[in-house]
Amino acid sequence: MGQTLTGLLTSVRAIAGRPGTQTRARPGDGPDPGLLAALRHCGDHLAALAASGPLTDARRTRLIASIGALTTACSTPGADAFDALLRTGQQALDSGGDAGARLALALADEATALRARSKGAWRLRGNALDALGRSEEAITAYERHLALQQNTAASRDVERRIATLRAAGDRIDEALALALVGNGEEARYGEEDRGRGGGGAAGGGAVRLSRRLPAAEARAAFTELVRLRTTERGAADPAVRRLAALYAEHRRLSDRDLMADPLLGGAEPIGVPGLRRFLAGRTVCLVADTPHTAEQEQRPGSSLAALIEGYDLVVRCDAVRHAAPTARTDLHAVTLRGDSPWKGPRWDRRATARLVFGDPLPHWRLALRSRLVPGAQDRIGDATLRRPLHDPALLAETADADGPASTAYTVLRLLDFLGTPARVDLIGFEGPAALPPREREWIGARTGTTDDTAVRITLR
């Protein structure tokens, strides 16, 4: 094999040149400059393999054979070497190790430059970036692949991988928020903060943790953050327990893809970061479920119906008894009240996303699995969103002796905390639908404008 490898390297150098060779203009029917650049990357890899000694790994043997096929295609006039390029990139990825992944990424870069609309090239690039631990870049490449992929069945594994990478990043974002809250700092931070590396000071030193870090570095930084917080506050601290749970979830997601819970009816679980993205830059209205509002919504030409339709997101709460079953609902929120386990009618109103508030956790999970209707929602809030008013990672308020807050108030406080909607309005919350005095006081302190004709309250 050593002799064959040396001969192949000679052929590659003869066609593509040596490292540092300037890319030549394409002569007649000769290889595209992008293919020549790809061959030079292959030559560099072959040279490193030749210097490493005898080859006994079957995966590397297959890679060498694939490079040979690519070399033949590049040297054959009129041949289309693009498929051979993609196969070589996949074999490089399959050969394992960072060197193989770097070669696969280099070939994928040349492939996407040659054919920007090749779904195979973008998937190869996503796989290579994923193997190198560059998760955010991998998501971007995977999304380009999905935009070009027409076969939805063939794209499910890519969609699942994107969900896994995002979920792992969301655990990091929530851990950073916990760390900042624990230091008495503001928990809200944006993309700019995460792009700088994020992280809160711990024990006199800064912990560098960000979802944009390579996977290995992120795991090491996450481990250090948990160690520092545990040392500072002890393992019994609620925030430390939550941080440890996030760390365990992040490690699990790093080891295997996110699996859909068959008992959630195919809905995608979303946490705090996912909800923040869902709301970002959108106008939101909470619509009270009253006979008058419902009648106005259904009346043709109604100004109130036109007003509600103009919002990006329409939120409805609890059991919607008056609005028509077809009334638009982008976000449905419900609070589990009374003694647990909670039983009741199934949530069959169609909604893009559904939030279910309740505690304790085991009964909350049981309620979700018994009352969610498959296909009635695309997203379902996960356990990190089940008690936003009292969760130490969110609003961290003490429980009210008068019982759970209204669902509308809980949603408003959560939206205010997340801070990403462009605007939040309440419609129809007057008369019988008026909120309790304590909740009205909080709303009044944040009211920017009121509109009596539309019975609308706009929060600042």
Side-chain angles (χ1 to χ4, degrees):
M1 176 57 70
Q3 197 171 23
T4 304
L5 177 57
T6 303
L8 178 57
L9 178 56
T10 301
S11 298
V12 169
R13 296 298 194 212
I15 298 172
R18 294 185 173 275
T21 302
Q22 185 175 2
T23 300
R24 301 174 301 210
R26 183 173 184 173
D29 292 331
D32 188 283
L35 290 172
L36 294 178
L39 270 183
R40 276 195 292 278
H41 290 304
C42 291
D44 296 342
H45 192 78
L46 289 173
L49 289 179
S52 66
L55 296 178
T56 58
D57 191 332
R59 294 175 301 173
R60 291 184 176 180
T61 302
R62 287 192 292 270
L63 171 59
I64 293 169
S66 187
I67 293 175
L70 175 61
T71 305
T72 300
C74 288
S75 60
T76 303
D80 185 355
F82 190 78
D83 287 345
L85 175 61
L86 293 185
R87 284 194 296 270
T88 303
Q90 188 58 52
Q91 290 293 345
L93 200 57
D94 293 344
S95 69
D98 284 350
R102 285 194 295 270
L103 175 59
L105 178 58
L107 299 185
D109 286 342
E110 300 299 341
T112 55
L114 284 168
R115 296 186 187 178
R117 293 188 59 79
S118 168
K119 57 182 179 290
W122 283 109
R123 180 161 185 175
L124 176 62
R125 190 171 197 277
N127 289 340
L129 288 165
D130 200 352
L132 291 169
R134 293 159 61 176
S135 302
E136 295 299 308
E137 294 173 85
I139 289 173
T140 301
Y142 284 144
E143 288 177 334
R144 289 292 298 272
H145 165 80
L146 290 179
L148 297 165
Q149 176 63 268
Q150 300 298 317
N151 186 345
T152 56
S155 63
R156 284 173 187 156
D157 57 336
V158 176
E159 292 172 345
R160 188 162 52 247
R161 186 60 187 159
I162 290 174
T164 297
L165 294 175
R166 280 186 172 150
D170 290 349
R171 299 320 187 260
I172 289 177
D173 287 348
E174 188 179 343
L176 285 172
L178 266 177
L180 293 173
V181 169
N183 280 350
E185 302 175 27
E186 177 56 66
R188 298 177 196 164
Y189 53 94
E191 289 296 328
E192 182 181 355
D193 299 309
R194 291 196 286 271
R196 288 197 299 263
V207 174
R208 182 173 178 262
L209 177 61
S210 166
R211 68 188 299 152
R212 300 187 185 279
L213 283 176
E217 294 179 35
R219 282 194 297 270
F222 210 153
T223 301
E224 180 65 6
L225 178 61
V226 174
R227 185 190 68 79
L228 287 171
R229 289 294 184 263
T230 304
T231 301
E232 289 175 357
R233 305 174 194 166
D237 182 86
V240 171
R241 289 202 305 271
R242 178 60 188 157
L243 188 63
L246 290 170
Y247 174 75
E249 291 172 13
H250 181 266
R251 291 302 299 266
R252 175 180 59 80
L253 291 167
S254 299
D255 292 336
R256 63 180 184 270
D257 280 353
L258 190 68
M259 295 297 292
D261 185 341
L263 298 177
L264 294 184
E268 174 193 350
I270 59 169
V272 174
L275 182 60
R276 182 180 280 121
R277 285 195 300 267
F278 179 68
L279 298 166
R282 300 175 119 178
T283 56
V284 181
C285 70
L286 275 74
V287 180
D289 185 44
T290 65
H292 174 73
T293 302
E295 188 270 332
Q296 290 291 316
E297 269 196 276
Q298 296 177 61
R299 178 182 298 174
S302 163
S303 60
L304 182 61
L307 174 68
I308 293 173
E309 189 60 31
Y311 287 90
D312 297 321
L313 295 175
V314 176
V315 183
R316 302 182 194 272
C317 299
D318 296 317
V320 183
R321 296 184 175 88
H322 301 290
T326 56
R328 177 181 158 204
T329 305
D330 300 296
L331 176 63
H332 177 234
V334 59
T335 300
L336 300 167
R337 302 183 186 278
D339 297 332
S340 59
W342 299 286
K343 295 182 180 180
R346 303 184 76 189
W347 300 307
D348 55 2
R349 174 173 287 272
R350 175 64 189 163
T352 305
R354 201 177 308 277
L355 300 179
V356 180
F357 306 129
D359 205 28
L361 178 59
H363 294 304
W364 174 85
R365 284 178 174 154
L366 181 62
L368 254 62
R369 291 175 173 178
S370 62
R371 297 177 65 180
L372 285 178
V373 175
Q377 57 280 311
D378 299 323
R379 301 176 180 88
I380 180 68
D382 69 11
T384 63
L385 290 167
R386 67 188 172 84
R387 49 193 293 265
L389 294 179
H390 312 307
D391 193 316
L394 298 176
L395 292 163
E397 295 185 351
T398 56
D400 193 330
D402 296 333
S406 71
T407 303
Y409 177 72
T410 302
V411 170
L412 288 173
R413 294 297 307 275
L414 179 58
L415 298 185
D416 181 67
F417 173 81
L418 295 175
T420 55
R423 172 174 176 165
V424 179
D425 291 351
L426 288 83
I427 295 179
F429 284 88
E430 83 288 346
L435 299 176
R438 180 178 63 87
E439 298 177 5
R440 290 204 304 272
E441 181 180 351
W442 181 89
I443 292 171
R446 287 160 179 79
T447 297
T449 60
T450 58
D451 184 342
D452 292 337
T453 60
V455 198
R456 175 172 57 174
I457 302 170
T458 301
L459 299 188
R460 288 196 296 266

